[in-house]
Amino acid sequence: MVPSFSEKQIQTSYEIAREMYALYGVDTENVLQKMENIPISMHCWQGDDVRGLEMQASGLGGDGIQATGNYPGLPRNGDELRQDIHQAMSLIPGKLRLNLHAFYCETDGQSVDRNALQTRHFSRWIEWAKKEQIGLDFNGTFFSHPKVKNGLTLSSPDPVIRAFWIEHGKIVRHIAADMARELGSRSIVDLWIPDGIKDLPADRWLYREHLKNSLNEIFKEKIDPQLMLDAVEAKLFGIGSEAYVVGSHEFYLAYAAQNKIALCLDAGHFHPTEQVSDKISSVLTFIDEILLHVTRGIRWDSDHVVNFDDQTRDLFLEIVRGDALNRVNIALDFFDASINRIAAWVIGTRSTQKALLYALLEPTHLLQQYELDGDFTARLALMEDLKTMPFGAVYDYYCLKTGKIPGNAWMNEIRQYESVVLSQR
Ligand code: RNT
Ligand code: ZN
């Protein structure tokens, strides 16, 4: 058994931490209240290695999305996937949403293609979300499908292919709006397509022109912004699109700014030496809202489980320092099939929250004052010392306060679930 901290230990350490942060003018109680109201959209696709529930989606490949590993206990249907998500959510404090992909439709054995999906094919998810009291976000699924032709969808030179995917893109927005209506919570629809070329393209222009026109078609119909927010997600490269990605960062940055929609920044979709955190203030100077795909790339867009690491911490520091939390929507995007899939969700989500909490506990006002005063020594000295402040005690207390297991003892629940549920599959 993993040892559990006692309530007394957590409360005592929290009291000390509270007093220490107060010395810097930070009110931890206030911060924890904020934490509870900042939603994180947990992605359904960590649960089944991005397989989806669609009948023709037998597996993945060839389009840049690939989960590796074969940990036992894979859910065999929507009910089992929901059961796993519920289990993960029960171990995570704070407000959560669920991020669904269109190929998690449930069509009762009937084959329904992606240009014919309807809201009723997601009714089980919607009913479940009502029960869990969470909102749903949504994604068109433009991969793992025979109509991805030569690695292209919305940017394909073939008008039949483009039309198919345009239809899918339109449908998905309507389904998302229906979800929002049912659940009383705005849905974000992220559009990511795998379109790209493996080796040196002879024409980089044609596909971008097609993509722009396809997007214009998809977004032509205005849908109540209270119900739905459109976001577009760029990528640097993928497996099979090493030389050229149609929807590059510049492409979507410009598209989002021009069309007043949101931009999705996936932390794994840039050069490894680029700082995604540094982009936030530039993007939000021109664009109203951002969607974040919090993830961890190792060497490339490898979608490893999020850690409380420098990159993630800097991301949230930047958002908090700019007082931009109300313009940034936090979603997760990782998939690891080599470890317990439920634990992966818990680790990644809790690590994201730790980064958020760390940022909220920063006495930003002091650092910014030092900077304005030209006292860069004091700025650096405080930044460094803040790193070893007892923020972990505050996170443990946050778990306790919200009725979740603090420390690492939640792993005992994972082991239990593994032996009672997963091992029976
Ligand atoms: C792929 C993108 C995209 C997907 C999900 C499944 O590189 O990051 O967000 O991971 O749509
Ligand atoms: Zn992503």
Side-chain angles (χ1 to χ4, degrees):
M1 289 283 276
V2 177
S4 313
F5 303 141
S6 74
E7 248 183 77
K8 183 159 170 282
Q9 284 173 318
I10 289 169
Q11 250 146 8
T12 313
S13 348
Y14 172 67
E15 267 319 301
I16 298 170
R18 192 175 64 80
E19 287 168 14
M20 288 165 79
Y21 278 107
L23 292 176
Y24 285 111
V26 176
D27 180 347
T28 54
E29 291 293 314
N30 195 351
V31 163
L32 290 183
Q33 230 161 40
K34 268 194 202 155
M35 279 290 290
E36 276 186 63
N37 293 314
I38 301 169
I40 296 188
S41 193
M42 220 176 84
H43 51 317
C44 73
W45 54 92
Q46 159 56 44
D48 73 337
D49 317 338
V50 212
R51 281 166 205 264
L53 300 171
E54 218 177 30
M55 294 206 312
Q56 74 258 46
S58 52
L60 292 157
D63 49 30
I65 294 218
Q66 228 162 28
T68 52
N70 57 353
Y71 202 88
L74 200 65
R76 291 162 298 184
N77 52 50
D79 288 334
E80 290 185 353
L81 178 57
R82 281 183 286 272
Q83 187 187 10
D84 290 356
I85 297 170
H86 174 85
Q87 177 62 31
M89 286 183 165
S90 75
L91 300 172
I92 301 167
K95 195 167 166 182
L96 297 171
R97 305 173 58 81
L98 183 75
N99 202 1
L100 256 190
H101 239 285
F103 74 159
Y104 288 84
C105 51
E106 288 167 289
T107 56
D108 290 323
Q110 293 195 323
S111 149
V112 179
D113 212 345
R114 297 201 190 151
N115 58 351
L117 285 170
Q118 295 176 17
T119 305
R120 64 187 172 89
H121 300 128
F122 299 90
S123 58
R124 290 191 203 144
W125 287 108
I126 295 171
E127 288 317 309
W128 178 83
K130 274 186 198 161
K131 226 172 60 211
E132 301 276 332
Q133 297 187 313
I134 57 171
L136 290 176
D137 295 309
F138 203 40
N139 302 257
T141 313
F142 295 84
F143 52 83
S144 298
H145 190 281
K147 286 211 168 59
V148 181
K149 188 177 167 189
N150 295 332
L152 303 171
T153 63
L154 291 175
S155 72
S156 168
D158 180 341
V160 176
I161 297 290
R162 282 203 311 277
F164 175 85
W165 291 112
I166 288 171
E167 195 52 32
H168 179 60
K170 287 183 180 172
I171 281 176
V172 158
R173 297 176 77 230
H174 284 281
I175 297 175
D178 286 343
M179 287 173 170
R181 251 180 238 113
E182 290 268 346
L183 298 167
S185 173
R186 183 184 74 164
S187 259
I188 300 184
V189 179
D190 181 41
L191 185 145
W192 175 76
I193 56 168
D195 298 33
I197 295 182
K198 184 183 173 76
D199 217 338
L200 306 175
D203 186 350
R204 290 171 183 267
W205 299 69
L206 174 75
Y207 313 100
R208 291 196 167 131
E209 193 58 31
H210 281 316
L211 177 54
K212 177 179 139 191
N213 293 332
S214 296
L215 294 175
N216 288 345
E217 280 294 308
I218 291 176
F219 298 135
K220 194 151 73 193
E221 186 179 342
K222 294 292 161 236
I223 296 184
D224 182 355
Q226 309 254 33
L227 295 177
M228 202 224 36
L229 173 71
D230 291 300
V232 282
E233 179 181 3
K235 187 161 173 162
L236 178 64
F237 81 98
I239 306 287
S241 63
E242 288 85 351
Y244 167 78
V245 168
V246 185
S248 62
H249 180 54
E250 292 73 14
F251 181 93
Y252 282 130
L253 179 64
Y255 190 89
Q258 191 175 55
N259 295 279
K260 303 200 182 315
I261 60 172
L263 183 74
C264 172
L265 293 176
D266 181 307
H269 288 189
F270 297 89
H271 281 283
T273 53
E274 262 181 288
Q275 301 296 318
V276 181
S277 52
D278 186 35
K279 300 177 189 297
I280 306 272
S281 51
S282 299
V283 173
L284 284 182
T285 301
F286 298 97
I287 289 178
D288 285 343
E289 285 189 60
I290 280 180
L291 170 65
L292 280 185
H293 271 189
V294 187
T295 185
R296 177 170 52 112
I298 294 193
R299 304 190 195 286
W300 66 292
D301 177 36
S302 57
D303 290 292
H304 279 67
V305 177
V306 174
N307 282 182
F308 176 61
D309 56 11
D310 288 359
Q311 201 200 33
T312 313
R313 210 183 48 212
D314 289 348
L315 204 55
F316 288 104
L317 278 172
E318 215 24 66
I319 296 162
V320 170
R321 286 175 185 167
D323 198 17
L325 274 165
N326 57 346
R327 296 168 63 199
V328 176
N329 303 279
I330 308 168
L332 308 173
D333 183 12
F334 51 79
F335 27 96
D336 189 338
S338 75
I339 60 175
N340 180 297
R341 296 178 182 81
I342 296 147
W345 266 317
V346 181
I347 298 165
T349 314
R350 286 173 70 132
S351 300
T352 304
Q353 292 176 333
K354 285 174 194 164
L356 175 60
L357 177 65
Y358 181 90
L360 288 169
L361 287 171
E362 183 189 77
T364 305
H365 58 288
L366 284 180
L367 294 170
Q368 292 181 342
Q369 193 55 53
Y370 288 143
E371 184 166 292
L372 283 178
D373 294 345
D375 192 348
F376 307 136
T377 316
R379 184 188 59 189
L380 185 62
L382 181 54
M383 274 183 182
E384 272 310 285
D385 279 324
L386 288 172
K387 289 182 184 163
T388 46
M389 288 275 289
F391 100 95
V394 184
Y395 188 75
D396 284 337
Y397 178 75
Y398 177 53
C399 292
L400 188 72
K401 187 172 170 246
T402 50
K404 306 292 169 173
I405 304 172
N408 188 231
W410 58 267
M411 266 304 291
N412 297 325
E413 303 292 312
I414 295 285
R415 291 293 175 230
Q416 169 79 4
Y417 189 77
E418 202 156 65
S419 77
V420 177
V421 181
L422 299 185
S423 66
Q424 308 304 313
R425 289 183 184 163

